[in-house]
Amino acid sequence: MVSGAPYWVYQDEATYRLEQKMIFEGPVWNYLCLEADVTKPGDYRTTFVGEMPVIVVRGEDGEIYAFENRCAHRGALIALDDGGRNAKDFQCVYHAWTYDLKGNLKGVAFEEGSNGQGGMPRDFRKEQHGPGKLYTATLCGLVFASLSDNVPPIEDYLGEAILARIERVLCKPIRVIGRYTQALPNNWKLYEENVKDTYHASLLHLFFGTFRLPPLTQGGGGGQLGGVGCGPAAAAKGRSAAEARRASCRPGSPARWPFARGGTGRPYWAGTGGSAGAAGCAGAAGRR
Ligand code: FES
């Protein structure tokens, strides 16, 4: 197939709006940050879910919370920076409304007025106002969030094949040594497709050729379409996919997974033995 998507879908405003609603705001888990970004209470990062600016923060109870980075008053950004440490609360710079680490509105400037004048209406309730909150889940040190209460558990959402790949790569504690942000002035689908476009990678990126990662030259290391030696082969021996994954992720355990794509029947042999198991990657999904 040369192309099955008309180019207008990358520029059509109605399509874009529908994508925001059905994908980013739908029953989808969106990646937010690493748990290592928010290790202690008050540590936070700012990011986006689709167009929605989001604060992700470690609460005082140790749980991770995520809420819209928009003040309930006039919609100003609550947190202006990329992230921070040891925050006790968040205060909007515009009119100083204050939110706790769970995104609850805790303080309203001049709520009682001044000198007996003004103030909020008597029936104003802070708990009825606040930024939108997101459901959160963690898996192998990754933090995800969803705006939908219909989203399945993160493990079911990702599925065995993707879980296996994540556990294979993220099987050791993560230490953040830097951060790099790149703004791409294009439709979001182009980046998504580029990541899946392995055709260009072997031609354009020196890394792939150097380490012989393209299928035609692959001699070891990791698979272009994966890197997980679990699944069908082991399952055929009577083990569950989860057992197969654990077995294949033992240190030095060679495993291969013939991975046919697109109905071509052509096998892509994935990589061999991992350097560590999947301990600590059980995934603790937490919701609010
Ligand atoms: S916009 Fe945030 S306090 Fe007014």
Side-chain angles (χ1 to χ4, degrees), residues 256-273:
R256 287 182 168 180
W257 184 3
F259 192 113
R261 189 184 189 200
T264 64
R266 179 182 177 188
Y268 291 82
W269 292 96
T272 57

Side-chain angles (χ1 to χ4, degrees), residues 71 73-76 92 94-97:
C71 183
H73 181 217
R74 297 280 300 276
C92 178
Y94 202 177
H95 311 95
W97 284 28

Side-chain angles (χ1 to χ4, degrees), residues 25-181:
E25 298 173 23
V28 167
W29 285 110
N30 298 275
Y31 171 75
L32 292 185
C33 69
L34 300 168
E35 277 195 273
D37 285 319
V38 289
T39 55
K40 296 177 181 170
D43 292 354
Y44 69 96
R45 297 300 309 266
T46 57
T47 183
F48 287 85
V49 168
E51 288 186 337
M52 176 186 288
V54 168
I55 297 174
V56 52
V57 56
R58 179 82 64 176
E60 290 166 351
D61 57 2
E63 296 293 319
I64 295 178
Y65 298 92
F67 51 93
E68 188 173 10
N69 188 11
R70 289 274 182 214
C71 183
H73 181 217
R74 297 280 300 276
L77 285 175
I78 299 170
L80 301 176
D81 45 15
D82 188 50
R85 302 274 181 210
N86 200 32
K88 302 302 179 196
D89 52 34
F90 295 96
Q91 187 174 70
C92 178
V93 297
Y94 202 177
H95 311 95
W97 284 28
T98 305
Y99 302 89
D100 67 15
L101 300 184
K102 297 180 180 180
N104 299 313
L105 177 62
K106 305 303 288 185
V108 172
F110 302 120
E111 182 177 0
E112 304 296 331
S114 177
N115 296 323
Q117 300 290 316
M120 302 301 284
R122 293 175 68 86
D123 62 352
F124 177 78
R125 300 285 180 272
K126 286 195 285 290
E127 57 271 22
Q128 294 176 355
H129 302 272
K133 297 177 181 177
L134 291 80
Y135 300 98
T136 61
T138 59
L139 182 89
C140 291
L142 307 176
V143 181
F144 299 89
S146 180
L147 284 159
S148 170
D149 56 7
N150 282 324
V151 70
I154 186 72
E155 293 86 354
D156 295 344
Y157 175 80
L158 293 171
E160 281 287 335
I162 300 300
L163 271 177
R165 286 158 171 77
I166 292 175
E167 291 174 348
R168 172 70 181 271
V169 174
L170 298 177
C171 55
K172 291 181 178 179
I174 295 172
R175 183 167 61 92
V176 179
I177 59 174
R179 181 170 167 82
Y180 174 73
T181 302

Side-chain angles (χ1 to χ4, degrees), residues 209-226:
T210 302
F211 293 97
R212 302 173 65 194
L213 294 179
L216 293 176
T217 58
Q218 193 175 87
Q224 187 178 7
L225 296 177

Side-chain angles (χ1 to χ4, degrees), residues 238-280:
R239 288 179 283 177
S240 70
E243 290 170 331
R245 187 170 69 246
R246 281 193 292 275
S248 69
C249 291
R250 282 199 298 269
S253 166
R256 287 182 168 180
W257 184 3
F259 192 113
R261 189 184 189 200
T264 64
R266 179 182 177 188
Y268 291 82
W269 292 96
T272 57
S275 59

